[in-house]
Each structure stands twice: as structure tokens, then as C-alpha cells.
Amino acid sequence: MSGPRRLIRLLTMVFSLSLRQQLAFRADLVFEGLVTLFSVTAGLGAVGVIFTRTGTLGGWGPWQVVVLYGTFQVTTGLLQTFVEPGLQAFPSQVRSGGLDPILLRPVPSILLASLGLNAPLNLLESVAGLGVVVWGLRHLGPTPPDRAAEWGLLLALAVIIAWALRTLVAAASLFGPSTNLGAMFVSGWQFGRYPVSIYHQPVRALLTYVLPVAMLSTVPSLALTRGVDGALIALAGGAALVAITTTNLVWTAGLRRYTGATG
Amino acid sequence: MSRILRLLVANARMRLLQWMGWRGMLLWLTVNQLVTPLLGLAVWSAALPGQAAVSDYYMALLVVQMLTVSYEYHTFANGIYDGGLAGGLLRPQPVILNPLAENVALRVWHLVVASPLIVVTALLVHVRLEYGWALLAVPSLLLAGALRFLLTYLLAMAAFWTQRAAGVVAVGETLIFLAGGGAAPIALYPPSFRTLIEALPFPAMLGVPAEIAAGAMDSGQVITAYLLQMGWIVILVACVALAWRAGVARYTAVGG
């Protein structure tokens, strides 16, 4: 079996195993679903209060912001399901030598460390987010199919960028074992809940080019609600490529410095 | 009483020193707590440009948030799960003392760590808080701190009955965000919602001290706010006492 197919099969098995583990606790599933629903509703409530006082927010109408909020929840749910569970413990693995077994396995360590542990219940957040997107779109009128396709493509690129950035942040602990920037990333991520146009410079530039939360929710939502030109899609594709390449280079350089020998 | 107070002060001092060793964790916790008020400031400044009252309110909220943070799920509920509470029950002091001391220490550290960012943000948004109103907000801030601790402690006690205490505490935090003045200043809610929200304890845990500091209340409203906060404290103390009695009766962990 070829490399990529073997890898996809392995990651599918990781997800399947994690899903079976979490489904064993049915009450937890129901409770987690209710908490997610409550949290998403609270976020929508906050958006609702804002639009009782204004007609637009950073140039976005109320239902456009609803679509953006839903998109943000979809991306967040995917990151929390596939990436965050594995990388949360990464700095402590570097310190304790727990990274050794990952390095010994015949799979690229960057993928095993970042995608080797899943939390499928967090997908409920993505499902709820998708529901919010559909709800917002129903109020905005018919959506041309090409815009939906662009949204899907930009969302996929957003997830790739998010994975690369989160892995890059985790890789910092390979250079300074006591460094744990993951939580900073999670906090910074929250600024993607609203259109990036509400922030003043230089915060807006920071959220567009350094920690590109604009790519995670604002740009895909822009495609769905107003349409984007090919140049922006190409830019997002380029950003994803740069993010993957940089992360891979930093990861490889970091592993050269790693000297753990316990487990 | 003075013995309890001495124990609380000694314990809080010990926790302050202990947390000094976990600077990375402290930085993470503080940044996490800063996000909500900063987001509120950005969103409402964009929604209502040029309204100084909004930036004054959110600047005050930044300080209130730092001085009312509560992590009793981690400092108390985990002890129920891992048996650590068993040791606490054997000590000749109230069990609540340890989480309370840790809470005080964490709040002090949150304010210290957040101070540079608070000062920079205040300079950037040209905050104009008046000393008189800021002083009037101090009693309300202390009462809000007590209330938020009591609510989080009460919710963390869900660990006696369920494995999902983290979720229960998260629901409480979401309610404080939505109905407490984090999502929007209470005065900006539509009138029908405002009436409902003001009948709940959540504004008294977060938004009320910020509103007083921002000068959004007159002196009569400030007195009413103090009395309401004290009333909620009495109710929550009773709830905590009842939940503790019921919870500890079914606690069966061994070890710690």
C-alpha cells in the first residue's frame, strides 16, 4: 500500500478508535451536546445584542456576521477534534522524553504528533456551526453554488493553515522545552469570532499576516456572503503552502535539537 | 474567627509563592481571561464608535475580570475526583479555606501579570475613569469577587454527583459572560432582556462594579447594587452550605 493511502488509513483508524472510546459514555455525549448547543447559542445571543444597537459591524450585516460566526465554529470544532488533543500534551512529551515512541514509529512524526489523538465529541461544535451557517444563509437569500464551493475550498485551506500554525507553535517547545505557546494560540484564535475589519491597526495587520485568524473565518465567510475573486483564493492557497513548508522546516530543525531518551 | 483569618492569610501567602514558580501557566491563564473583555472592547468600539462610555466600561471590566477569576473546578473539584479531598476533610480547618486561599493568590497574580497590558490599552483608548467612581466601585468589586467564588465553588461541587463538573462550571462561566456584562454592558441590552438579566445574580458578579467605576450609575443605584450583591451572597452561601452537606455525605473516595 502506498504511503499516503497507508497514512489516511492510519488516521481513519485513530479517529475510529477515539470515537468508540468516547461513545462508550453515552451520557457524556448527550451532556457535551447540550453544553455545545448552549455555548453556540450564547455566542449568537451576543451577536444579537450587538445588532440591536447597530445595523452593521465593521461593514458586515447581521446575517453575514451569523454566517461568519458559524464558519468560525466549524473551523474551531475541526481543530479541537483533530489537532488540539494531540498537541496539548506535546510540550510535556518533549520535556519527559515521551516524544521518543512517536519518533520511532514508521510514520512522519509531525503528523503522528499533531493528528495522532482525536476528540470526536468536539465535532458537535462543527455540526452546530454548520447549522448556524445554513440558518444565516437562509436569511441572506439564495447562495450561488460557486460561492458555496469557494467557501468549502477556503475553509479547507483555513483548516490547513490552522493545523500548520498550531503545529508550529507546538514545535517551539523543541527549541525551549519550557516554552508552551499553545494556550496563547487558543486565546488569539478567539479574535476570529468577528470580522477582522472591526480591529484597528496594527491589530488588524497582526490578525491578518502574523496570526491569520482573518483566513480562518472572515475570508471563507466573505466568499459565501459576497463572493471573492480568484486572487484571494490563490493568496489563501499560497498562505497554506507557506504555512506547511515553514512548519515542516521548523519541525525538522527542532527535532535535530531534541535529545530525549526516556519515555 | 481570627484563627481562620490567620490561616487564610498564611495559606494565601504560600499559594502566592507557589504560583511564582508556575509563571508560564500564569501567563496562559491571564491571557485567556483578558480575551473576553478585549473582544468586547473591540466589538463595541466598532459598533458604537466615539462613545467613550463603552471604552471606560470595558477598561474597568478588564480589572474586574482579573480580580474575580475563579478556578474552583481545578482547585477543588479535581480533589473530589482524585481523592485529594479526603486529606482536606481530616484537617482541623474548613475545607473551603484552601480553594479560597488559592483563589485570592490567583487573583493577585492575574492583576500583576495583566497590569502592563491594562495600562497600554488604557493609554490607547484614552480611558477617562474618575477616582470618585473608581473608589465607589471597590466595595462592589469585593462583593463581586465573593459572589463569583461562591457560584464557581457551588458549581464545582457537581463533582460529588457527576463526572462532568467541568461542563457544569463552563455553563456557569458562559452565563456570566452572556448575562453578566461581558458580552455587552447591561445598559445596552434591549429593555425586556435587561429586566430579566437584572433579576439574575450574574451582573452582580462582573458588570456591576465595572458600571460603577465607569460612572454609569447614580449614587442611589450604587447603594441598591451593594444591597443586591449582599443579598445574592446570603443566598449563595446558603446554597453552598446545603450542597456541601449533601455532597460530602455521599463522598466515598479513598486515598489522595
Side-chain angles (χ1 to χ4, degrees), chain B residues 179 186-187 191-204 211 217 221 228 232:
Chain B
I186 303 299
S192 51
F193 279 102
R194 201 188 313 159
T195 312
L196 174 73
I197 284 169
E198 282 172 348
L200 298 171
F202 308 112
E211 281 191 5
M217 288 187 182
Q221 286 174 316
L228 266 174
W232 280 117

Side-chain angles (χ1 to χ4, degrees), chain A residues 3-256:
Chain A
R5 283 179 81 183
R6 193 169 67 103
L7 194 64
I8 290 169
R9 192 158 166 249
L10 179 72
L11 294 177
T12 309
M13 281 172 70
V14 167
F15 182 77
S16 165
L17 192 67
S18 306
L19 186 65
R20 275 178 278 165
Q21 278 172 348
Q22 290 202 316
L23 284 182
F25 305 98
R26 305 264 162 81
D28 284 2
L29 176 70
V30 173
F31 188 78
E32 200 66 40
L34 289 174
V35 170
T36 302
L37 205 62
F38 180 70
S39 165
V40 171
T41 310
L44 280 174
V47 171
V49 176
I50 294 164
F51 283 103
T52 60
R53 294 282 165 174
T54 182
T56 59
L57 184 67
W60 292 62
W63 294 108
Q64 290 174 330
V65 173
V66 167
V67 169
L68 185 146
Y69 177 73
T71 305
F72 173 78
Q73 295 295 343
V74 172
T75 324
T76 304
L78 290 171
L79 195 77
Q80 294 292 334
T81 301
F82 296 104
V83 184
E84 199 58 46
L87 289 180
Q88 242 169 19
F90 185 74
S92 62
Q93 284 176 329
V94 172
R95 281 194 297 274
S96 67
L99 186 59
D100 296 2
I102 292 174
L103 296 176
L104 291 173
R105 285 174 196 157
V107 180
S109 62
I110 189 170
L111 293 178
L112 202 58
S114 60
L115 303 171
L117 189 66
N118 296 165
L121 286 191
N122 289 332
L123 271 184
L124 291 170
E125 195 170 341
S126 294
V127 172
L130 206 57
V132 171
V133 171
V134 171
W135 185 53
L137 285 178
R138 282 185 64 179
H139 288 86
L140 285 171
T143 308
D146 57 330
R147 282 194 189 177
E150 284 169 359
W151 177 78
L153 178 63
L154 285 165
L155 195 72
L157 292 171
V159 171
I160 291 171
I161 292 170
W163 165 80
L165 280 174
R166 181 64 186 90
T167 309
L168 185 68
V169 162
S173 57
L174 289 167
F175 296 89
S178 61
T179 312
N180 185 359
L181 301 176
M184 301 282 179
F185 176 87
V186 174
S187 298
W189 178 272
Q190 299 303 319
F191 287 91
R193 283 174 183 272
Y194 296 101
V196 80
S197 52
I198 68 165
Y199 306 108
H200 293 291
Q201 297 290 13
V203 178
R204 191 189 301 179
L206 188 79
L207 295 176
T208 306
Y209 303 109
V210 182
L211 180 66
V213 293
M215 287 289 177
L216 310 177
S217 52
T218 302
V219 171
S221 310
L222 204 62
L224 202 53
T225 57
R226 300 179 204 178
V228 290
D229 56 19
L232 191 59
I233 297 175
L235 186 72
L241 203 63
V242 169
I244 291 173
T245 310
T246 309
T247 302
N248 212 23
L249 286 172
V250 172
W251 184 270
T252 311
L255 283 186
R256 279 198 210 105

